[in-house]
Amino acid sequence: MDEPRRDEPHMSPRVMIIGAGVTGLVAAHELGKVRGADGQPRFDITVLESADRVGGQIRTVDVDGARVDVGAEAAHLGAPHVAALVRELGIGESGIGAEPGSSVLVTRKGAIPLPEGVGPTGPTKLWPVLKSGILTLPGIVRAGLEPITARRRHSDDLSVGEFTRRRFGREVTDTFVDPLLGNLHGGDVHQLSLHATAPQLVATAANRESMVWKNLRNALPGGKAKAAPAPTQPRRATAEQPLPMFANWPDGLSTFTDALAKGSRVRLNSRVKGVDRSPTGWYLTLADGQVLEAEHVLFTTPGPDTARLLKDIAPQTAAALDQVRTASVATVLLGYDKQAAATSRILREHNGVLVPNRYVRTMKAATNLGRKWPHLGSTHHLVRASVGRSDNDLATSLSDEQLIRRVGEEFGDFVGLDAEPTFGAVYRWPEAMPQLAPGHLERMRVAREEVAALHGLHLAGSSVDGLGIGGTVKSGQRAAAEIVAATATAPTVSPTASSTAVTTFEDAQ
């Protein structure tokens, strides 16, 4: 292998990013914008992806004449940093908002519309919950004590389930928080870190602030609450209008990841199997035997994969990442005759179905695609259901035929639909959902300190910074900023000569 040419000190530092999911693509995009004093790109960036496509848990497929997402379903453009990135990529105005509508919650009284003001971390309005009849009388009384129980300070990390149980009681936690936040993470809310998975509540917990009273104060004249906009049909954003809160694109969420990858050097089918020191940085050994060299390596891979690569280099980091348990999930697409689907009031009026853990047989939630995203233009009325949590192996132990049959039967029961699906398809995501347990952020702080001391190694991704497009975008941006800061005063070296051909993302298409 050729040694770096020391007579070219101003060449760009090499950065290898392992993983072409959202985190890795965002990091590459951010680093690609950085210019040196001469106006040339500051970094020589390569993204290594073991799969044959980019996007990670964003995957858009052609089904029934429509472009359908079978991983992440929508981008939360209510997050300012995501909205800003979407506009920067030039795809903001082509984004389409979801059809306004609520979900129904499976309860002891059947499927009932989710009360207003109920979010992933509990209710902020008690009156809608009271009117819904979902809670029992003891559960209502206990939830009403929240302004009193809020006085207890929580300065240490604890589980989301423990926090909401102390605030509102177990019934609220099991009825509302579990099917919302728990299903989002594919896990048990009593095992998920408050600080890592619900950071918006950390100040509330520490300051002993009542969530109910805060909402009430904001709703009063002079409060911070803003009037909700009138419901509108799905629309495209314009330069003058704000972006939709939750958005997709005519060609699916892959529009977002394809825009991120545009212009980047992405090597598909390139699995990294080893990382070792080099004289000027790090060697990466690929599964096909090729050896690449870089001054900086960013790991965005799932925790177990990163732990495997770092076990001999950064044992504390590897041990911390090994503690991040994962859940396997599956997306089940069902297609119904449109006339038959119209016989269900729930399919006509609501966007989804949420199933608390106590009622889960197979499916844990479903999205009414045919109503929520009418732009799809599919031949049939499409529904996508989610299967799998950290406490079961349904997503991996059942065959495609079993999943389609069982989910179809359960969904029909939940929404009052007698018709059977005309077709079904299953898309599996093995060990895709990291379970960030209490203490996760502290463990990751220690891990980052260890890799920082090694100079040139960096951590990011959902196993480090959390799930969701918003979280992974922020993780990629943070990693890029760390690399820029690390090279601000460091000497640079020229790229190692190599006969290995690389292609840009556009070439790979």
Side-chain angles (χ1 to χ4, degrees), residues 64-87:
D64 196 37
R67 295 281 289 168
V68 181
D69 285 290
V70 295
E73 181 202 336
H76 180 212
L77 302 188
H81 65 291
V82 181
L85 177 58
V86 164
R87 287 205 184 274

Side-chain angles (χ1 to χ4, degrees), residues 356-430:
N357 198 33
R358 71 179 79 152
Y359 299 113
V360 169
R361 290 173 282 166
T362 309
M363 62 169 280
K364 62 181 183 178
T367 302
N368 185 13
L369 294 178
R371 183 186 188 280
K372 186 175 181 179
W373 303 105
H375 74 276
L376 289 176
S378 55
T379 304
H380 295 78
H381 187 102
L382 296 181
V383 171
R384 56 169 274 172
S386 301
V387 175
R389 288 171 56 118
S390 59
D391 54 4
N392 68 54
D393 64 352
L394 295 171
T396 55
S397 63
L398 298 177
S399 67
D400 287 4
E401 293 74 15
Q402 288 174 313
L403 283 173
I404 292 169
R405 175 178 55 79
R406 290 174 57 163
V407 169
E409 292 173 353
E410 293 173 21
F411 183 75
D413 289 344
F414 290 144
V415 303
L417 181 62
D418 291 332
E420 295 184 356
T422 303
F423 70 87
V426 177
Y427 301 87
R428 300 177 191 269
W429 298 93

Side-chain angles (χ1 to χ4, degrees), residues 224-237:
K224 297 180 180 179
K226 298 180 180 179
T232 59
Q233 295 296 317
R235 59 173 175 78
R236 295 176 187 269

Side-chain angles (χ1 to χ4, degrees), residues 252-301:
L253 281 180
S254 60
T255 300
F256 175 61
T257 47
D258 286 354
L260 276 173
K262 186 177 182 180
S264 294
R265 183 190 300 137
V266 180
R267 293 186 54 173
L268 303 176
N269 301 303
S270 299
R271 183 174 68 86
V272 177
K273 71 173 186 178
V275 180
D276 298 288
R277 277 283 192 188
S278 79
T280 59
W282 301 93
Y283 289 134
L284 302 185
T285 303
L286 305 187
D288 63 4
Q290 296 180 63
V291 178
L292 307 175
E293 187 177 11
E295 282 74 61
H296 292 269
V297 179
L298 170 60
F299 298 85
T300 74
T301 38

